[in-house]
Amino acid sequence: TMYSLLCSFSRHRKLRLTIVESIQRHTQHHSIPLSWTMDKQAFLKVFTQLKEELIGDFQKLPGLSDALKEQLTTYYTQCLETTVPGGKMTRGLTVVRGVEVLKGRALTEQELFDASVLGWQVEWLQAFFLVADDIMDGSITRRGSPCWYKHAHVTQDNGINDALFLENLIYKSLRRHFKKHPSYVQLLELFIDTTHQTEVGQHIDTNGTPYANGKRAPLDLSRFTLDRYRGCVRYKTSYYSFYLSCALSLAYCEVPEDSDMYQKANDVCMRLGEYFQIQDDYLDAFAPPEVLGKIGTDIEDAKCSWMVCQALSLADEEQKEVLKKHYGKHDPAGVAKVKELYKELGLERVYSEYEEEQKKECDALIASIEPESFQDLFKFLLGKIYKRSK
């Protein structure tokens, strides 16, 4: 009814004003300092509005009973609240930071809100990938809690559909909030292209050891090369975890698609993405699950990880036999022996040296970027991942 629509509009208007007021407490009326980052609570309030809009869409579906609409509302409210927020939100906050850097001033109410909405679409994309990835990897926990498909009322059957549903919601929100924006098509294409790139990377990752006759083929250590690894990282991680947020900021600010700023962002983001994924591989092997927030399964899943690539380059024939015997086996004792081998080969030291070298190279690459003001976005990203423990 008209009355319910007016009530809904009023509720979202009040929520939006609360969001903006919360953000503005941090910005005041001055230029935003380089060290400023958006308050996570203010960012989360934007999620609440987006969630309410998307869940409210169930009420507009024709041909469904009130009972079915209530079932959808209850189930997907829990799904969104469980799978979308809860992480560090770096990808989403990077969009906000990028718009600030590019504008070079305090953002208007509309700009703050728009940048936050775009940021949450990146987080929605992350949720889609993680729900699907956990099913593919047979993972147990995510962010310190059971994976979504592991919830008793979800299971793998619902989990696959929910991953697809999460992806669809990105495009519903983009249409709702950006259909009249000059860069609407470019924003859509960035999400389409990034999803395609990430799914290419996921295929490379999943098939480090290929399948044959419905099961894993025998382990072939010769497939675990740094060349394969770098291709996987570029497509599975770098585009969606780093480049997408930066490119969305550029597109929203109407930087022309042929500007070399996109290529500069790409160059830095590919480097940051490789560094980030190598960190992930190291933490998968050595970080305690209670700190990491999940139980690492790279060894059991026979992943072409940086750790096993490095181990193969350093191991003698006897040590390689340990990998041949235990890598890719769902056997806790065997996994422990592989981790012992990693320590025996000094991979903790190798990683530490790599991290410091990567930090220097990233600093140098960022320093070469012009305009100089654009550097701050990448300093922000590097600061978020350098020496991280989870």
Side-chain angles (χ1 to χ4, degrees):
T1 66
M2 181 61 71
Y3 175 75
S4 64
L5 286 172
L6 287 171
C7 288
S8 176
F9 175 81
S10 176
R11 183 172 69 253
H12 283 139
R13 174 67 179 163
K14 288 177 182 177
L15 176 59
R16 184 160 165 176
L17 287 173
T18 302
I19 293 165
V20 171
E21 287 166 1
S22 178
I23 294 168
Q24 287 181 330
R25 283 199 300 272
H26 297 271
T27 63
Q28 301 303 316
H29 299 290
H30 307 289
S31 295
I32 301 170
L34 295 182
S35 61
W36 187 87
T37 56
M38 184 179 185
D39 175 65
K40 286 187 177 181
Q41 291 307 309
F43 190 58
L44 282 165
K45 287 176 182 175
V46 180
F47 165 76
T48 300
Q49 175 171 337
L50 295 172
K51 178 193 71 177
E52 289 184 1
E53 290 171 350
L54 293 163
I55 295 299
D57 288 342
F58 288 128
Q59 301 305 316
K60 305 170 189 174
L61 294 177
L64 293 181
S65 67
D66 289 344
L68 280 175
K69 290 176 181 178
E70 182 61 29
Q71 176 184 321
L72 289 164
T73 295
T74 301
Y75 181 88
Y76 279 107
T77 295
Q78 184 184 1
C79 175
L80 298 190
E81 291 175 348
T82 301
T83 62
V84 181
K88 297 182 284 294
M89 298 184 288
T90 300
R91 294 169 182 83
L93 290 168
T94 297
V95 181
V96 182
R97 188 74 184 112
V99 175
E100 293 165 7
V101 167
L102 291 164
K103 294 289 185 183
R105 56 167 171 75
L107 302 184
T108 66
E109 291 183 12
Q110 190 64 51
E111 289 166 346
L112 277 167
F113 182 75
D114 286 351
S116 299
V117 172
L118 281 175
W120 275 112
Q121 302 323 298
V122 184
E123 295 295 327
W124 240 277
L125 187 68
Q126 160 86 335
F128 155 49
F129 289 148
L130 294 186
V131 169
D133 192 56
D134 286 342
I135 295 171
M136 286 184 269
D137 289 349
S139 298
I140 306 299
T141 57
R142 171 69 64 182
R143 295 170 176 167
S145 299
C147 297
W148 175 244
Y149 83 99
K150 283 292 186 181
H151 287 236
H153 71 295
V154 179
T155 74
Q156 182 173 300
D157 292 349
N158 274 312
I160 293 169
N161 187 60
D162 295 342
L164 298 172
F165 190 76
L166 287 166
E167 181 192 20
N168 173 259
L169 297 184
I170 295 168
Y171 298 98
K172 289 180 70 67
S173 287
L174 287 173
R175 182 176 61 191
R176 194 191 316 269
H177 291 282
F178 295 99
K179 191 172 183 178
K180 295 182 179 179
H181 191 279
S183 300
Y184 177 55
V185 172
Q186 187 182 355
L187 295 173
L188 288 176
E189 289 178 342
L190 280 168
F191 278 98
I192 293 168
D193 291 344
T194 302
T195 302
H196 177 259
Q197 289 158 342
T198 307
E199 289 168 351
V200 167
Q202 181 66 41
H203 175 86
I204 297 170
D205 184 48
T206 301
N207 292 276
T209 297
Y211 287 87
N213 299 318
K215 60 183 180 181
R216 289 280 186 192
L219 185 69
D220 180 2
L221 294 177
S222 68
R223 293 175 64 88
F224 298 149
T225 65
L226 284 174
D227 176 67
R228 182 183 188 88
Y229 178 76
R230 290 194 176 99
C232 177
V233 169
R234 183 184 186 93
Y235 283 88
K236 185 187 175 187
T237 302
S238 299
Y239 285 115
Y240 100 88
S241 290
F242 292 92
Y243 178 70
L244 176 60
S245 298
C246 299
L248 288 172
S249 302
L250 290 164
Y252 175 77
C253 293
E254 298 180 54
V255 175
E257 290 186 69
D258 59 358
S259 168
D260 66 353
M261 292 179 76
Y262 289 94
Q263 186 58 51
K264 290 174 182 177
N266 182 81
D267 292 343
V268 178
C269 289
M270 294 306 105
R271 179 63 62 89
L272 290 172
E274 181 175 310
Y275 172 30
F276 179 83
Q277 186 60 54
I278 289 172
Q279 281 180 321
D280 247 22
D281 294 354
Y282 174 80
L283 294 171
D284 185 277
F286 288 125
E290 60 271 18
V291 174
L292 189 58
K294 63 179 181 179
I295 300 171
T297 60
D298 283 358
I299 295 171
E300 295 95 319
D301 294 336
K303 291 298 178 73
C304 179
S305 76
W306 185 80
M307 300 294 288
V308 74
C309 288
Q310 292 296 323
L312 287 167
S313 70
L314 296 170
D316 58 27
E317 290 305 313
E318 184 178 342
Q319 291 167 325
K320 286 179 182 178
E321 285 301 318
V322 174
L323 291 172
K324 289 178 183 177
K325 184 176 180 180
H326 299 293
Y327 201 75
K329 305 285 179 60
H330 287 262
D331 170 34
V335 170
K337 288 181 179 179
V338 172
K339 290 183 179 181
E340 287 171 14
L341 177 61
Y342 287 169
K343 290 181 178 180
E344 181 184 325
L345 292 170
L347 291 193
E348 290 169 300
R349 174 187 54 77
V350 172
Y351 171 75
S352 180
E353 291 173 354
Y354 164 83
E355 183 168 44
E356 293 308 314
E357 183 62 30
Q358 198 72 355
K359 172 68 162 58
K360 291 177 184 176
E361 291 183 8
C362 287
D363 283 340
L365 188 56
I366 292 169
S368 70
I369 290 176
E370 293 181 1
E372 188 175 341
S373 59
F374 197 36
Q375 296 176 14
D376 186 55
L377 177 58
F378 304 104
K379 290 176 182 177
F380 167 78
L381 280 171
L382 182 57
K384 283 287 186 181
I385 64 174
Y386 180 58
K387 295 285 188 184
R388 71 186 175 100
S389 59
K390 61 179 180 179

